[in-house]
Every structure is written in structure tokens, then in C-alpha cells.
Amino acid sequence: LSGDLLTALDEYEARPQVNPYLAAGLSAVLPGSGQFYTDAFADGTSAFLFTAGTLGAGAIMYDLERAAGRPNIASGIFGVVGLVFYLANVGGAFQSAVRFNNFETRQFHQEIRNSFFHLDYIEKTSGVTFSTAF
């Protein structure tokens, strides 16, 4: 069993881990790409669309307001909202990488518990009986 446990530990070390700072950096360059890096495709797509949509709408509104000689209020609002989406996208990519790594670790812990430390195995080998009723 100890050899099996060492093999499982080696397999855990070989599991993919993602770098949260790289995910944030990728999303800073191209919104949503950090989420794609961590396999959160729906989050990446929505981050890209919301950020591009609000910043693009702000740019279009700015051109329309400037051409009309009007104050730049709507474009400023779209720009601020777009900036908030952009910053949330970068932070979301970082958190997405942390969640990915935590999921991989929890999945490994559960596999180890099921394989080596479940109550049936302990009861059979030690002679101790555990109560399952709470």
C-alpha cells in the first residue's frame, strides 16, 4: 500500500497547476484569456464580451459626442463601467486560477481518502468499529 500511495503522490505532482499571476497577466493583455488559460471558457467569453462591449460603446459614444459638440457624459459612463469590467476581469482570472488549483488538490485528497483511508479499510485492518449514525 505504501508503494501505491507513493505512486499516487507522484501522479499528484504531475497534475497540471496554473499560475494565478500568469492568468491575471493574460487577462490584462486580452480580457478573458486568463479564464481560458484556466479552462473557465464561459467566464472568459463573458469577460471578453462585457469588457469589449462597454469600452467599445464608450469609444463610439465619445466620437458621436465630439462630432455633435456635446459634453462627453455618456462616453465617460461607458468608459468607467468598461474599466470596472476590465479590472474585475483581471481579478477574476487570478481567482479562476486559484479555484482551478484548489479543485485539483481537493480532488487528489478525495482520491487518497477513498483509496487508502476509508472507514471500511480501517475497520477491517484495525478491528475498531466506527459508528456511521450521527
Side-chain angles (χ1 to χ4, degrees):
L1 283 178
S2 62
D4 291 341
L5 182 58
L6 288 175
T7 302
L9 288 171
D10 288 339
E11 289 173 4
Y12 171 71
E13 292 296 326
R15 285 183 183 215
Q17 294 286 310
V18 295
N19 185 340
Y21 296 103
L22 177 60
L26 288 170
S27 276
V29 173
L30 178 65
S33 61
Q35 286 88 343
F36 272 86
Y37 169 64
T38 62
D39 294 338
F41 301 114
D43 290 344
T45 302
S46 63
F48 177 78
L49 292 176
F50 277 110
T51 303
T54 54
L55 290 177
I60 290 170
M61 289 301 295
Y62 179 78
D63 285 341
L64 292 173
E65 290 169 342
R66 194 182 62 184
R70 308 197 75 190
N72 301 326
I73 296 172
S75 62
I77 292 171
F78 275 107
V80 169
V81 171
L83 180 62
V84 169
F85 278 127
Y86 173 77
L87 295 175
N89 160 59
V90 173
F94 185 90
Q95 287 302 317
S96 182
V98 170
R99 281 191 308 274
F100 180 90
N101 292 336
N102 287 341
F103 175 78
E104 289 293 322
T105 301
R106 283 192 317 271
Q107 189 175 20
F108 168 73
H109 289 167
Q110 189 61 43
E111 289 170 7
I112 292 297
R113 278 189 208 102
N114 291 340
S115 299
F116 300 104
F117 299 106
H118 53 85
L119 291 180
D120 292 339
Y121 176 77
I122 295 171
E123 287 178 349
K124 287 178 188 174
T125 58
S126 69
V128 176
T129 303
F130 294 97
S131 171
T132 57
F134 288 94

